[in-house]
Amino acid sequence: MTGVTASGGPDASAASAAAPGSSAAGSSTPGASAPGSSTPGSSTSGPLARGGDTPRRRGRPPRTEAAGTRDRILDAAREEFSARGYDKTSVRGIAKTAGVDSALVHHYFGTKEQVFEAAVEVAFAPAFAVRDTLLDGPVEEAGERMTRMIIGLWENPVTRAPLLAIVRSAVNNETAAAVFRRLIAGQLLRRIAGRLDVPDAELRAELAAAQLVGIAMVRYVIRVEPLASADAEQIIARVAPVVQGHLTGT
C-alpha cells in the first residue's frame, strides 16, 4: 500500500528530496556556492598577495595614514640611497622597500631628485632647526657651538645613518651633489654668514663648513685611524679654534 503523509497525499517529502539537481533551503549541491563563500580557483573581492603576504598598497592612503606613509617612504629612500647610491636607486626600488606602489612615491615627492632632496632636508633638520642660534651668545664661542653641533649629529647613531646615505650619494653623483649643495648653502651657510659682521662672510662660513665636512668624511665615512676612534670631545677641543678662526679670525 502506498505510504500516506499526514495530509493524506502521496509521500511528498520523499518525492521532493529525490528531484534531480534540486536543493533544499540552506543546503548546497556540488558545484554551487552559498552567498559570500568562495570555491576553489575563485577570489574574494580585494587584492590578495600570493602566499599570504601583505600586498603593496595602491592609490592614496587615508588622510590619517598619510604622515606615516610619507615617513616610511623617506626611511626607505635613505636606505636605498645608502645601499645603492644615487645612480642605482630607483623610485620603484624605494616603493618596494617601503611596501607601497610607485605612484605613491610620485604623489608625495615627485621625481627621484625630489625624493633625495626631501631626504637631505630630514637628515639635516636638526642643524636647520638651530641654525639661527649658532651665533647667539658671544661671537668668540661660535666656532665651538658650530663644531659641537656638527660632531654631535655624526656621533648620534640615529642621525648618522641618514647623513651617511646623503654624503655617499653626493660624493658619487653630480645631481645628488647639486641638491646637497643647494640645500646646505641656502638653508645653513648663508644664514650663518648673515650673522657675521665681516666683509667676506660667505667665504668664511664655507671654509668653516669645509673644515667640519672634511672631519666627518675622514672620521665617519672613510674611517681613517686614529681619527675614527678618537674621543669626540678631544676632536671638538682641537677643531673648534680652527673653525672659530675661519669665522672671525683676521
Side-chain angles (χ1 to χ4, degrees):
M1 181 174 180
T2 306
V4 179
T5 64
S7 61
D11 193 345
S13 61
S16 174
S22 66
S23 61
S27 66
S28 61
T29 59
S33 61
S37 66
S38 60
T39 59
S42 67
S43 61
T44 58
S45 60
L48 290 177
R50 294 181 179 178
D53 292 336
T54 302
R56 290 203 298 268
R57 185 185 296 277
R58 293 183 177 276
R60 299 182 184 180
R63 184 172 298 180
T64 54
E65 297 180 17
T69 301
R70 191 180 189 279
D71 291 343
R72 194 163 73 252
I73 292 172
L74 275 178
D75 289 341
R78 289 195 295 269
E79 181 180 332
E80 288 290 296
F81 285 128
S82 179
R84 303 176 185 276
Y86 185 89
D87 287 331
K88 294 182 179 179
T89 296
S90 66
V91 169
R92 180 176 296 180
I94 293 170
K96 182 178 180 180
T97 300
V100 301
D101 191 78
S102 298
L104 272 182
V105 181
H106 290 295
H107 167 67
Y108 283 112
F109 300 102
T111 65
K112 181 173 77 170
E113 180 178 339
Q114 290 169 313
V115 178
F116 182 78
E117 184 168 347
V120 173
E121 288 181 332
V122 171
F124 279 88
F128 294 158
V130 299
R131 61 195 168 192
D132 294 329
T133 64
L134 280 176
L135 297 177
D136 287 349
V139 68
E140 61 271 12
E141 298 175 4
E144 181 178 351
R145 288 195 297 273
M146 187 173 180
T147 303
R148 189 171 293 280
M149 180 200 71
I150 298 299
I151 297 297
L153 289 176
W154 283 97
E155 284 294 304
N156 185 341
V158 175
T159 50
R160 180 169 64 240
L163 286 173
L164 282 170
I166 300 307
V167 169
R168 285 169 177 161
S169 293
V171 167
N172 294 317
N173 181 273
E174 178 52 36
T175 301
V179 171
F180 182 79
R181 189 164 53 241
R182 181 172 67 248
L183 279 174
I184 298 304
Q187 298 286 343
L188 187 61
L189 297 183
R190 286 173 189 160
R191 296 288 188 94
I192 294 173
R195 306 292 295 275
L196 297 175
D197 188 20
V198 289
D200 53 349
E202 284 195 21
L203 175 61
R204 286 174 175 270
E206 290 177 5
L207 286 170
Q211 187 79 44
L212 295 171
V213 169
I215 295 289
M217 286 291 294
V218 176
R219 176 173 169 84
Y220 302 101
V221 180
I222 305 174
R223 298 191 58 81
V224 176
E225 294 291 355
L227 181 60
S229 57
D231 180 70
E233 287 298 324
Q234 181 184 5
I235 295 172
I236 292 171
R238 288 180 176 271
V239 175
V242 181
V243 174
Q244 184 69 45
H246 288 313
L247 293 174
T248 61
T250 57

